[in-house]
Amino acid sequence: MSAREFGEVWALSQLSPGIHLVALAGLIGQRVAGWRGVMASVAGMMIPAAAITVGLTAAYGLVAAAPLAKAALAGLAPVTGGMTIATAALLVRATARHGARHAIVDVAVAAAALVAAMLFGVPTIVAIAAGAAVGALALGRERSPSRETPMG
Amino acid sequence: MDPLLLLLVFLKASALSIGGLSSLPLLRADLVTPGIATDEQVVQAIAIGRVSTGPNGLYIVSLGYLVGGIAGAGMALVAATLPPLVVVPAAALARKWLLTERVAGLVRGVALATAGLLVATGLGIVGASGVPAWWQIALAAAAAALTYRGTLHPAFVIAIGAAAGLALGR
């Protein structure tokens, strides 16, 4: 697989729903060995990791009721909450377009979803659908219409 | 909970999100709000997902196990695996269409809206068990900064949180 080919499958994988790495593994497997390649690469990525995740969860379950585990949870909740907020910031950094005017619009869309969910109780699914509609209509253009040179 | 129903909930969250942790706002709305799962379980699943190997989005396998045992974990694994793979036939049949501005805009819009929802979810998790103490707010801010910079392995950030909880959470 050439670097150009990899760049293309990577770009396609970023359009997938769910976990992009699964899409990337599937696309690479498909190029290398057809549908059997898809099965092998996706199974190779997911099954061992899922087994380890289940094992860790089961192991945690053995100690979850202990007072020490409860105390640890008081520190884990803010940490996972903070990680979730950072993930949001990373998502904006990865998807917001170049150029100040576009970037402001993009950040405003994210802020609107936050306000809609927190202050107005807009259901999650409605906020996502609105983001999809606004995006398809208005957020596709990467460069400013007034300039011919790509920005950033 | 009926495993098939759980599969549908996880499939919905996976199919309507862009990127690993992005399924969290939908799952929290569908599982925590109706009382099927607790925020405690969500916290445990995210923490275990960060410590475990594989993509971050596999936290849903941990959540599936907590809610529905081995069957729940299996359903979550199927739900995490199938939706991203629609891109494989789509790329073979309609590659040109996938790379249009309209699709790019749609994906960007979903990702940006999800980012806003993730902030709301993160704040909800921090405040899930009442008003957080000063050290919990500081811990959340530190975890956010460390995760954003990405220089420290997430497992260490989780360990810091557990240690702080043990020291201050009693």
Side-chain angles (χ1 to χ4, degrees):
Chain A
M1 182 173 259
S2 68
R4 199 187 63 79
E5 259 185 303
F6 183 83
E8 189 185 298
V9 293
W10 188 84
L12 286 167
S13 75
Q14 297 304 300
L15 300 172
S16 79
I19 305 173
H20 296 320
L21 274 175
V22 177
L24 184 63
L27 287 165
I28 292 173
Q30 201 269 332
R31 299 261 167 140
V32 174
W35 66 269
R36 279 196 272 181
V38 176
M39 303 252 290
S41 58
V42 172
M45 167 180 279
M46 298 296 271
I47 291 174
I52 291 170
T53 303
V54 167
L56 285 173
T57 312
Y60 179 83
L62 297 177
V63 298
L68 280 180
K70 292 266 176 211
L73 203 63
L76 285 178
V79 162
T80 52
M83 283 178 150
T84 305
I85 292 167
T87 304
L90 290 169
L91 199 55
V92 170
R93 192 176 74 177
T95 48
R97 293 165 294 174
H98 298 293
R101 205 186 301 167
H102 278 153
I104 289 170
V105 171
D106 290 357
V107 171
V109 170
L114 169 63
V115 170
M118 286 211 74
L119 299 186
F120 298 104
V122 170
T124 304
I125 187 107
V126 174
I128 291 174
V134 169
L137 293 174
L139 304 181
R141 192 176 282 271
E142 178 67 69
R143 61 170 83 166
S144 162
S146 61
R147 290 197 204 176
E148 279 306 305
T149 47
M151 296 164 94
Chain B
M1 188 180 182
D2 179 18
L4 273 182
L5 207 59
L6 202 56
L7 174 66
L8 290 180
V9 167
F10 281 130
L11 264 181
K12 174 186 163 196
S14 176
L16 298 179
S17 62
I18 306 268
L21 204 62
S22 301
S23 52
L24 184 58
L26 279 166
L27 278 182
R28 193 157 175 266
D30 284 345
L31 293 177
V32 177
T33 310
I36 297 161
T38 63
D39 264 323
E40 254 184 37
Q41 288 174 318
V42 169
V43 164
Q44 290 161 9
I46 297 173
I48 289 166
R50 290 281 175 157
V51 173
S52 185
T53 55
N56 282 332
L58 274 183
Y59 82 94
I60 79 165
V61 171
S62 179
L63 190 57
Y65 183 83
L66 289 171
V67 175
I70 287 287
M75 296 300 163
L77 177 60
V78 170
T81 307
L82 292 184
L85 291 178
V86 300
V87 86
V88 175
L93 298 171
R95 197 184 129 269
K96 278 210 173 123
W97 179 80
L98 275 181
L99 298 173
T100 56
E101 277 186 353
R102 187 137 305 214
V103 173
L106 186 145
V107 169
R108 183 175 290 123
V110 171
L112 291 168
T114 304
L117 295 170
L118 276 172
V119 173
T121 304
L123 293 172
I125 291 172
V126 174
S129 50
V131 179
W134 66 267
W135 63 270
Q136 288 176 310
I137 295 171
L139 202 53
L146 287 170
T147 304
Y148 187 80
R149 289 184 55 192
T151 42
L152 192 64
H153 192 279
F156 286 107
V157 184
I158 294 290
I160 292 170
L166 287 176
L168 301 165
R170 281 177 286 173

